[in-house]
Coordinates of all heavy atoms in Angstrom, one line a residue:
E48 N -20.9 -21.9 -14.6 CA -20.5 -21.9 -13.2 C -19.3 -22.7 -13.0 O -18.4 -22.3 -12.3 CB -21.7 -22.5 -12.4 CG -21.3 -22.9 -10.9 CD -21.1 -21.6 -10.1 OE1 -21.4 -20.5 -10.5 OE2 -20.5 -21.8 -9.0
R49 N -19.2 -23.9 -13.6 CA -17.9 -24.7 -13.5 C -16.7 -23.9 -14.1 O -15.6 -24.0 -13.6 CB -18.2 -26.0 -14.2 CG -19.0 -27.0 -13.4 CD -18.9 -28.4 -14.0 NE -19.5 -28.5 -15.3 CZ -20.8 -28.8 -15.5 NH1 -21.6 -29.1 -14.4 NH2 -21.3 -28.9 -16.7
E50 N -17.0 -23.3 -15.3 CA -15.9 -22.5 -15.9 C -15.4 -21.4 -14.9 O -14.2 -21.1 -14.8 CB -16.3 -21.9 -17.2 CG -16.4 -22.9 -18.3 CD -15.1 -23.3 -18.8 OE1 -14.4 -22.4 -19.4 OE2 -14.7 -24.5 -18.6
L51 N -16.4 -20.7 -14.3 CA -16.0 -19.7 -13.3 C -15.2 -20.2 -12.2 O -14.2 -19.5 -11.8 CB -17.3 -19.0 -12.8 CG -17.1 -17.9 -11.8 CD1 -16.3 -16.7 -12.3 CD2 -18.5 -17.4 -11.3
V52 N -15.6 -21.3 -11.6 CA -14.8 -21.9 -10.5 C -13.4 -22.2 -11.0 O -12.4 -22.0 -10.2 CB -15.5 -23.1 -10.0 CG1 -14.6 -23.9 -8.9 CG2 -16.9 -22.8 -9.3
R53 N -13.3 -22.8 -12.2 CA -12.0 -23.2 -12.7 C -11.1 -22.0 -12.9 O -9.9 -22.0 -12.4 CB -12.1 -24.0 -14.0 CG -10.8 -24.5 -14.6 CD -11.1 -25.5 -15.7 NE -11.6 -24.8 -16.8 CZ -10.9 -24.3 -17.8 NH1 -9.6 -24.3 -17.7 NH2 -11.4 -23.7 -18.9
Y54 N -11.6 -21.0 -13.5 CA -10.8 -19.8 -13.8 C -10.5 -19.0 -12.5 O -9.4 -18.4 -12.4 CB -11.5 -18.9 -14.8 CG -11.3 -19.3 -16.2 CD1 -12.4 -19.6 -17.0 CD2 -10.1 -19.5 -16.8 CE1 -12.3 -20.1 -18.3 CE2 -9.9 -19.9 -18.1 CZ -11.0 -20.2 -18.9 OH -10.9 -20.7 -20.2
S55 N -11.4 -19.0 -11.6 CA -11.2 -18.3 -10.3 C -10.1 -19.0 -9.5 O -9.2 -18.3 -8.9 CB -12.5 -18.3 -9.4 OG -13.5 -17.6 -10.1
T56 N -10.0 -20.3 -9.5 CA -9.0 -21.1 -8.9 C -7.6 -20.8 -9.5 O -6.6 -20.6 -8.9 CB -9.3 -22.6 -8.9 OG1 -10.5 -22.8 -8.3 CG2 -8.2 -23.4 -8.2
E57 N -7.6 -20.8 -10.9 CA -6.4 -20.5 -11.6 C -5.9 -19.1 -11.3 O -4.7 -18.8 -11.2 CB -6.6 -20.7 -13.1 CG -5.4 -20.7 -13.9 CD -5.6 -21.0 -15.4 OE1 -6.7 -21.4 -15.7 OE2 -4.7 -20.8 -16.2
L58 N -6.9 -18.1 -11.2 CA -6.5 -16.7 -10.9 C -5.9 -16.6 -9.6 O -4.9 -15.9 -9.4 CB -7.7 -15.9 -11.0 CG -7.6 -14.4 -10.7 CD1 -6.5 -13.7 -11.6 CD2 -8.9 -13.6 -10.7
S59 N -6.4 -17.3 -8.6 CA -5.9 -17.3 -7.2 C -4.4 -17.9 -7.2 O -3.6 -17.4 -6.5 CB -6.8 -18.2 -6.3 OG -6.2 -18.2 -5.0
T60 N -4.2 -18.9 -8.0 CA -2.8 -19.5 -8.1 C -1.8 -18.5 -8.7 O -0.7 -18.4 -8.2 CB -2.9 -20.8 -9.0 OG1 -3.8 -21.7 -8.4 CG2 -1.5 -21.4 -9.1
W61 N -2.3 -17.8 -9.8 CA -1.4 -16.9 -10.4 C -1.1 -15.7 -9.5 O 0.0 -15.1 -9.5 CB -1.9 -16.4 -11.7 CG -1.7 -17.3 -12.8 CD1 -2.5 -18.3 -13.3 CD2 -0.4 -17.5 -13.5 NE1 -1.8 -19.0 -14.3 CE2 -0.6 -18.5 -14.5 CE3 0.8 -16.8 -13.5 CZ2 0.4 -18.9 -15.4 CZ3 1.8 -17.2 -14.4 CH2 1.6 -18.2 -15.3
R62 N -2.1 -15.3 -8.7 CA -1.9 -14.2 -7.7 C -0.9 -14.6 -6.7 O 0.0 -13.8 -6.2 CB -3.2 -13.7 -7.1 CG -4.0 -12.9 -8.1 CD -5.4 -12.6 -7.5 NE -6.1 -11.6 -8.3 CZ -7.4 -11.4 -8.2 NH1 -8.2 -12.1 -7.3 NH2 -8.0 -10.5 -8.9
Q63 N -1.0 -15.8 -6.2 CA 0.0 -16.3 -5.2 C 1.4 -16.3 -5.8 O 2.4 -16.0 -5.1 CB -0.4 -17.7 -4.7 CG -1.7 -17.7 -3.9 CD -2.1 -19.1 -3.5 OE1 -1.5 -20.1 -3.9 NE2 -3.3 -19.2 -2.9
R64 N 1.5 -16.7 -7.1 CA 2.8 -16.7 -7.7 C 3.4 -15.3 -7.8 O 4.6 -15.1 -7.5 CB 2.7 -17.3 -9.1 CG 2.5 -18.8 -9.1 CD 2.1 -19.3 -10.5 NE 1.9 -20.8 -10.6 CZ 1.4 -21.4 -11.6 NH1 1.1 -20.7 -12.7 NH2 1.3 -22.7 -11.6
E65 N 2.6 -14.4 -8.1 CA 3.0 -13.0 -8.2 C 3.5 -12.5 -6.9 O 4.5 -11.8 -6.8 CB 1.9 -12.1 -8.9 CG 2.3 -10.6 -8.9 CD 3.4 -10.3 -9.9 OE1 4.0 -11.2 -10.5 OE2 3.8 -9.1 -10.0
D66 N 2.7 -12.8 -5.8 CA 3.0 -12.4 -4.5 C 4.4 -13.0 -4.1 O 5.2 -12.3 -3.4 CB 2.0 -12.8 -3.5 CG 0.7 -11.9 -3.6 OD1 0.8 -10.8 -4.2 OD2 -0.3 -12.2 -3.0
M67 N 4.6 -14.2 -4.4 CA 5.8 -14.9 -4.1 C 7.0 -14.3 -4.8 O 8.1 -14.1 -4.2 CB 5.7 -16.4 -4.5 CG 6.7 -17.3 -3.9 SD 6.4 -19.1 -4.3 CE 4.8 -19.3 -3.6
R68 N 6.8 -13.9 -6.1 CA 7.8 -13.3 -6.9 C 8.2 -12.0 -6.3 O 9.4 -11.6 -6.1 CB 7.4 -13.1 -8.3 CG 8.5 -12.6 -9.3 CD 7.9 -12.4 -10.7 NE 7.0 -11.3 -10.7 CZ 7.3 -10.0 -10.9 NH1 8.6 -9.7 -11.1 NH2 6.4 -9.1 -11.0
L69 N 7.2 -11.1 -6.0 CA 7.5 -9.8 -5.4 C 8.1 -9.9 -4.0 O 9.0 -9.1 -3.7 CB 6.2 -9.0 -5.3 CG 5.5 -8.6 -6.7 CD1 4.2 -8.0 -6.4 CD2 6.5 -7.6 -7.4
A70 N 7.6 -10.9 -3.2 CA 8.2 -11.1 -1.9 C 9.7 -11.4 -2.0 O 10.5 -11.0 -1.2 CB 7.4 -12.1 -1.1
Q71 N 10.0 -12.3 -2.9 CA 11.4 -12.7 -3.1 C 12.3 -11.5 -3.5 O 13.4 -11.3 -3.0 CB 11.5 -13.8 -4.2 CG 12.9 -14.3 -4.4 CD 12.9 -15.5 -5.4 OE1 11.9 -16.0 -5.7 NE2 14.1 -15.8 -5.8
M72 N 11.8 -10.7 -4.5 CA 12.5 -9.5 -4.9 C 12.7 -8.5 -3.8 O 13.8 -7.9 -3.7 CB 11.8 -8.9 -6.1 CG 11.9 -9.7 -7.4 SD 10.9 -9.0 -8.7 CE 11.9 -7.5 -9.0
A73 N 11.7 -8.3 -3.0 CA 11.7 -7.4 -1.9 C 12.4 -7.9 -0.6 O 12.7 -7.2 0.3 CB 10.3 -6.9 -1.5
K74 N 12.7 -9.3 -0.7 CA 13.3 -10.0 0.5 C 12.5 -9.8 1.8 O 13.0 -9.4 2.8 CB 14.7 -9.5 0.7 CG 15.7 -9.8 -0.5 CD 17.1 -9.4 -0.2 CE 18.0 -9.8 -1.4 NZ 19.4 -9.3 -1.2
I75 N 11.2 -10.0 1.6 CA 10.2 -9.9 2.8 C 9.5 -11.2 2.9 O 9.0 -11.7 1.9 CB 9.2 -8.7 2.5 CG1 10.0 -7.4 2.6 CG2 8.1 -8.7 3.6 CD1 9.1 -6.2 2.3
K76 N 9.3 -11.7 4.1 CA 8.8 -13.0 4.3 C 7.3 -13.0 4.8 O 6.6 -14.0 4.7 CB 9.6 -13.8 5.4 CG 11.0 -14.0 4.9 CD 11.9 -14.8 5.9 CE 13.3 -15.0 5.4 NZ 14.1 -15.7 6.4
W77 N 6.9 -11.8 5.3 CA 5.5 -11.8 5.8 C 4.5 -11.4 4.7 O 4.9 -10.9 3.7 CB 5.4 -10.9 7.0 CG 5.6 -9.4 6.8 CD1 4.7 -8.5 6.3 CD2 6.8 -8.7 7.0 NE1 5.3 -7.3 6.2 CE2 6.6 -7.4 6.6 CE3 8.1 -9.1 7.4 CZ2 7.6 -6.4 6.7 CZ3 9.0 -8.1 7.5 CH2 8.8 -6.8 7.1
R78 N 3.2 -11.7 5.0 CA 2.2 -11.5 3.9 C 1.1 -10.6 4.5 O 0.9 -10.6 5.7 CB 1.6 -12.8 3.4 CG 2.7 -13.7 2.8 CD 2.1 -15.1 2.5 NE 1.0 -15.0 1.6 CZ 1.2 -15.2 0.3 NH1 2.4 -15.4 -0.2 NH2 0.2 -15.2 -0.6
M79 N 0.4 -9.9 3.6 CA -0.8 -9.1 4.0 C -2.0 -9.7 3.2 O -1.8 -10.6 2.4 CB -0.5 -7.6 3.6 CG 0.7 -7.1 4.4 SD 1.0 -5.4 3.9 CE -0.3 -4.5 4.7
E80 N -3.1 -9.1 3.4 CA -4.3 -9.7 2.8 C -4.6 -9.0 1.5 O -4.5 -7.8 1.3 CB -5.5 -9.4 3.8 CG -5.5 -10.2 5.1 CD -5.5 -11.7 4.9 OE1 -6.1 -12.1 3.9 OE2 -4.8 -12.4 5.7
G81 N -5.0 -9.9 0.5 CA -5.5 -9.4 -0.8 C -4.6 -8.5 -1.5 O -3.4 -8.7 -1.6
D82 N -5.2 -7.5 -2.2 CA -4.4 -6.6 -3.0 C -3.4 -5.8 -2.3 O -2.4 -5.4 -2.8 CB -5.4 -5.6 -3.7 CG -6.3 -6.3 -4.7 OD1 -6.0 -7.4 -5.1 OD2 -7.4 -5.8 -5.0
R83 N -3.5 -5.6 -0.9 CA -2.6 -4.9 -0.2 C -1.2 -5.6 -0.2 O -0.2 -5.0 0.0 CB -3.0 -4.7 1.3 CG -4.2 -3.8 1.4 CD -4.7 -3.7 2.9 NE -3.6 -3.1 3.7 CZ -3.5 -3.3 5.0 NH1 -4.3 -4.1 5.6 NH2 -2.5 -2.7 5.6
N84 N -1.2 -6.9 -0.4 CA 0.0 -7.7 -0.4 C 0.9 -7.2 -1.5 O 2.1 -6.8 -1.3 CB -0.3 -9.2 -0.5 CG 0.8 -10.0 0.0 OD1 1.5 -9.7 1.0 ND2 1.0 -11.2 -0.6
S85 N 0.4 -7.2 -2.7 CA 1.2 -6.8 -3.9 C 1.6 -5.4 -3.8 O 2.7 -5.0 -4.1 CB 0.4 -7.1 -5.2 OG 0.2 -8.4 -5.3
K86 N 0.7 -4.5 -3.3 CA 1.0 -3.1 -3.2 C 2.1 -2.9 -2.2 O 3.0 -2.1 -2.4 CB -0.3 -2.4 -2.8 CG -0.2 -0.9 -2.7 CD -1.5 -0.2 -2.3 CE -1.4 1.3 -2.4 NZ -2.7 1.9 -2.0
F87 N 2.1 -3.6 -1.1 CA 3.1 -3.5 -0.1 C 4.5 -3.9 -0.6 O 5.5 -3.2 -0.4 CB 2.7 -4.4 1.1 CG 3.7 -4.4 2.2 CD1 3.8 -3.3 3.1 CD2 4.5 -5.5 2.5 CE1 4.7 -3.3 4.2 CE2 5.4 -5.5 3.5 CZ 5.5 -4.4 4.4
F88 N 4.5 -5.0 -1.3 CA 5.8 -5.5 -1.9 C 6.3 -4.5 -2.9 O 7.5 -4.2 -3.0 CB 5.6 -6.8 -2.6 CG 5.4 -7.9 -1.6 CD1 4.6 -9.0 -1.8 CD2 6.1 -8.0 -0.4 CE1 4.4 -10.0 -0.9 CE2 5.9 -9.0 0.6 CZ 5.0 -10.0 0.3
N89 N 5.4 -3.9 -3.7 CA 5.9 -2.9 -4.7 C 6.5 -1.7 -4.1 O 7.5 -1.1 -4.6 CB 4.7 -2.5 -5.6 CG 4.5 -3.5 -6.8 OD1 5.4 -3.8 -7.5 ND2 3.3 -4.0 -6.9
V90 N 5.9 -1.3 -3.0 CA 6.5 -0.1 -2.2 C 7.8 -0.4 -1.7 O 8.8 0.4 -1.8 CB 5.5 0.3 -1.1 CG1 6.2 1.3 -0.2 CG2 4.2 0.9 -1.6

């Protein structure tokens, strides 16, 4: 359970980094929820 919490937190951090990277490349400042965020930036 502790390992799951640790890796889940780390996964959330990496997803935020990827969203930040895509948002910077797309030059967009607003955010969407969950997986739609990355999909939106890729479009």
